[in-house]
């Protein structure tokens, strides 16, 4: 990709707390843009989600989809509402549609325990947990989404699909990611029971052979759930099938302070969407108390991804600046979000992080 410094970000706040946390992520991005002064972020807001569906009959209007296609990256809040559903009763999931349309095969879910945040695990200190769950997002058990079969009200089946292409590219992504981290990849599967997972493991091993300097290991999903609770310090990048990744990433988020602390990136070869791992949290929507840190860290991941893709070191530095500012605010503890035992509103947390960005050296 050629070097460039003007970027278009399509912003999709969505529903519920997605709207509140996105406002703070945008505030922080503006602060980084001003602080570094060497790139511009043209951020345009676009409608999507459950309220949009209620109003227009479409949860991802064509205009929004086109904006996402043309943008350099997409920043998303959260989408959906328990009371607004399609005629068949299923939930609206435009964020999943984006994964399919743009082939966003890598679900990158960093889980890091920051200072000032308490883990439910005993004897775990900040810095002890710093891992990434890498979830394959285009196949696995989700390949069957809406395509399962119910026979005569007696038998139901969903089919798990693994392809060579899908297994290869997610494994390659895992090794590339580990290269810039602690150089260790764990393949999580159930290869002792299922042919599909044995195939995934075989392809993973073939890819691993091309990366001899990076340590690899295998675990079974059941044992991995145990290890994440018993010894999370030992893991760096964990690569796994769609459904296992879905479950493991929520477990890992639970270890680092909950959904309000868990950022994510849905990344493909040509497009990427960055969003907090949490949903719209209707129970706290509109109260101004949602933790915006997951959304803000997702915005930091977006800068890092854009910077690496376009060889722009300042964007990568911008991503680091966001992480440093979040770390300092949490360490200081004066503007602690409500879900972390503090009393700071969504906006107060965003403003505290913005103020740090204005002061931090880079
Ligand atoms: P979905 O079905 O899309 O995952 P959900 O509302 O059922 O949405 P989440 O939004 O992921 O589930 O979160 C579950 C609960 O965790 C929320 O009801 C809320 O209490 C809490 N929570 C999630 N995100 C945050 C946040 N950013 N700040 C504070 N609490 C949060």
């Amino acid at each position: 990709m050629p070097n460039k410094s003007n970027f278009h970000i399509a912003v999709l706040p969505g529903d519920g707390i997605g709207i509140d946390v996105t406002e703070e992520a945008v505030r922080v991005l503006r602060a980084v843009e001003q602080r570094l002064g060497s790139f511009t972020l043209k951020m345009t807001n676009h409608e999507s989600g459950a309220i949009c569906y209620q109003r227009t009959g479409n949860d991802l209007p064509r205009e929004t989809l086109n904006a996402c296609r043309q943008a350099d990256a997409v920043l998303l809040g959260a989408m959906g509402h328990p009371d607004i559903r399609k005629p068949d009763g299923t939930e609206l999931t435009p964020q999943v549609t984006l994964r399919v349309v743009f082939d966003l095969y890598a679900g990158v879910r960093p889980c890091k325990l920051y200072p000032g945040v308490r883990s439910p695990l005993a004897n775990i200190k900040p810095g002890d947990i710093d891992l990434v769950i890498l979830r394959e997002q285009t196949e696995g058990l989700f390949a069957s989404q809406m395509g399962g079969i119910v026979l005569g009200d007696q038998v139901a089946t969903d089919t798990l699909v693994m392809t060579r292409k899908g297994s290869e590219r997610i494994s390659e992504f895992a090794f590339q990611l580990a290269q810039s981290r602690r150089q260790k990849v764990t393949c999580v599967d159930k290869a002792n029971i299922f042919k599909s997972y044995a195939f995934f493991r075989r392809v993973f091993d073939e890819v691993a052979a091309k990366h001899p300097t990076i340590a690899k290991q295998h675990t079974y999903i059941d044992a991995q759930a145990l290890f994440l609770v018993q010894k999370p310090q030992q893991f760096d990048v964990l690569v796994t099938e769609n459904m296992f990744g879905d479950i493991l990433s929520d477990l890992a988020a639970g270890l680092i302070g909950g959904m309000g602390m868990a950022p994510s990136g849905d990344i493909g070869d040509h497009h990427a969407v960055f969003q907090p791992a949490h949903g719209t949290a209707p129970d706290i929507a509109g109260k101004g108390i949602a933790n915006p840190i997951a959304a803000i860290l997702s915005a930091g991941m977006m800068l890092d991804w854009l910077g690496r893709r376009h060889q722009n070191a300042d964007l990568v530095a911008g991503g680091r600046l966001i992480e440093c500012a979040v770390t300092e605010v949490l360490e200081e503890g004066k503007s602690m979000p409500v879900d972390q035992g503090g009393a700071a509103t969504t906006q107060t947390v965003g403003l505290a992080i913005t103020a740090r960005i204005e002061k931090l050296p880079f």
Side-chain angles (χ1 to χ4, degrees), residues 249-313:
S249 52
D250 271 26
L251 167 57
L255 306 180
I256 53 133
M259 302 309 286
M261 295 300 301
S264 83
D266 293 342
I267 300 178
D269 289 333
H270 307 292
H271 297 272
V273 175
F274 296 86
Q275 61 183 308
H278 60 74
T280 55
D283 54 334
I284 55 166
K287 295 185 179 164
I289 56 167
N291 179 354
I293 290 177
I296 290 169
L297 289 172
S298 304
M301 287 173 71
M302 180 182 80
L303 292 187
D304 182 77
W305 179 79
L306 280 170
R308 288 173 197 269
R309 188 169 162 80
H310 297 281
Q311 290 116 51
N312 186 320

Side-chain angles (χ1 to χ4, degrees), residues 23 55 82 131 141 155 198 217 263 327 342 344:
E23 198 175 321
R55 212 176 54 73
L131 55 86
L141 193 53
V155 179
Q217 65 175 12
T327 307

Side-chain angles (χ1 to χ4, degrees), residues 17-18 21 78-82 91-93 95 250 257-262 276-285 289-295 337-340 346:
I17 64 167
V21 299
M79 292 172 188
H81 191 286
E91 281 183 42
L92 299 154
T93 52
Q95 65 279 31
D250 271 26
M259 302 309 286
M261 295 300 301
H278 60 74
T280 55
D283 54 334
I284 55 166
I289 56 167
N291 179 354
I293 290 177
V338 174
D339 67 342
Q340 302 305 315
T346 309

